[in-house]
Amino acid sequence: MSPPLDRLLTIMARLRDPAGGCPWDVEQTFATIAPHTIEEAYEVADAIARGDLPGLKEELGDLLLQVVFHARMAEEQGAFAFADVAEAICDKLIRRHPHVFADASIDSAEAQTRAWESHKAAERAARPSGAEASEAVGGTLAGVTLGLPALLRAAKLQARAARVGFDWPDASSALPKVAEELAELAAEIEGEVPTGPAAEARRRDRLEDELGDLLFAVVNVARKLTIDPEAALRRANGKFEHRFAGIEDGRALEGTPLAEFDRLWDEVKAGE
């Protein structure tokens, strides 16, 4: 390994040393570190979205630390070490790129995507019995990670179903489903408001179902447009932050009439 990586592994081992390490690092587990791993991945994506290369370098280091942390805890349990993680991904990359490392032929990026998915399906089929016990279903949809953000997982589930023909022809064909789900949500919102805790809980479940169906339909449109729904929503979040900051602009907003908010919003939007 390279000297910087050796140094990082040594530092991590020192931090996890029960006799003289950091008390916080020593008491961590896979479960407690997992949320930090997810957060660091998002911070990498954020640095990329902002075009911040110095920040990307730092965030990639933070993400690498997460891999080293998990590998160190696994090594302490005798399960595997960082070198095993690196070896496994090397083997996987070679196995999934026979057109580069063997004599297979791939004509396009789209063909490579199909081949990649075929390799993944074969790998799932070869796993020991019970290896996919954490998955909700088997078959075509097996292996779509439960821990993914919901928008991203929806897109992946839809893409899997599309591989066997369960799909809209194009984005225009998927749009009416959005309108249908929106109408169903509106009907539920406008329906009679129940009284009593049990009835209120049932209505809330129905509202959540309808809202979920609407979001799922919107993701389908995004997928047909080859737009990442997570990226689209992040962009919308950024737009909202910018416009709301323009509305605020030193003003005391509490008590502002809605009509005035609308006027200020339109003014900021027009100035973009």
Side-chain angles (χ1 to χ4, degrees):
M1 294 187 195
S2 68
L5 188 52
D6 282 336
R7 184 181 178 211
L8 178 57
L9 293 170
T10 300
I11 290 171
M12 190 72 253
R14 176 73 181 276
L15 291 171
R16 286 281 297 178
D17 183 359
C22 170
W24 185 90
D25 289 277
V26 170
E27 71 178 18
Q28 300 310 304
T29 66
F30 295 119
T32 61
I33 289 298
H36 297 284
T37 307
I38 295 169
E39 180 181 344
E40 295 300 349
Y42 276 115
E43 291 184 1
V44 167
D46 179 67
I48 292 170
R50 290 184 287 103
D52 180 4
L53 290 180
L56 178 59
K57 179 183 73 172
E58 180 178 347
E59 299 301 344
L60 286 172
D62 291 343
L63 186 58
L64 176 59
L65 173 62
Q66 298 300 306
V67 177
V68 169
F69 208 138
H70 285 288
R72 178 62 197 178
M73 291 187 290
E75 184 175 4
E76 291 165 1
Q77 297 178 18
F80 57 82
F82 181 84
D84 301 308
V85 174
E87 189 70 23
I89 190 58
C90 288
D91 290 345
K92 183 184 292 186
L93 287 171
I94 291 171
R95 186 169 64 247
R96 292 186 180 179
H97 292 84
H99 56 295
V100 175
F101 300 104
D103 56 2
S105 177
I106 295 290
D107 298 328
S108 65
E110 182 180 353
Q112 166 56 16
T113 299
R114 292 195 300 270
W116 181 276
E117 290 297 333
S118 296
H119 285 298
K120 288 173 66 176
E123 290 166 5
R124 287 194 300 273
R127 289 176 187 169
S129 177
E132 297 188 5
S134 64
E135 295 172 357
V137 294
T140 300
L141 302 182
V144 181
T145 306
L146 292 170
L148 289 173
L151 290 178
L152 178 56
R153 189 163 192 268
K156 286 185 174 291
L157 288 169
Q158 293 165 2
R160 284 287 186 86
R163 283 162 46 192
V164 297
F166 191 80
D167 196 13
W168 301 103
D170 50 38
S172 295
S173 303
L175 269 177
K177 188 64 175 175
V178 175
E180 176 188 328
E181 298 297 350
L182 181 59
E184 291 181 6
L185 176 60
E188 193 64 51
I189 291 172
E190 294 164 5
E192 183 179 350
V193 178
T195 57
E200 289 174 1
R202 287 193 296 271
R203 181 172 187 264
R204 183 175 180 81
D205 283 343
R206 292 195 302 271
L207 286 168
E208 185 173 321
D209 281 343
E210 297 299 347
L211 182 59
D213 291 345
L214 174 59
L215 292 171
F216 195 84
V218 170
V219 170
N220 237 332
V221 174
R223 182 178 59 84
K224 297 306 294 183
L225 293 171
T226 64
I227 291 174
D228 177 359
E230 290 281 339
L233 187 54
R234 283 196 297 270
R235 185 170 182 172
N237 289 341
K239 193 190 309 181
F240 178 83
E241 287 175 323
H242 172 75
R243 290 178 179 174
F244 192 84
I247 286 175
E248 196 162 29
D249 195 25
R251 298 181 180 94
L253 295 181
E254 189 172 351
T256 301
L258 183 57
E260 178 64 5
F261 273 127
D262 286 340
R263 187 192 68 76
L264 290 168
W265 181 273
D266 290 341
E267 185 179 287
V268 171
K269 185 176 178 181
E272 291 177 346

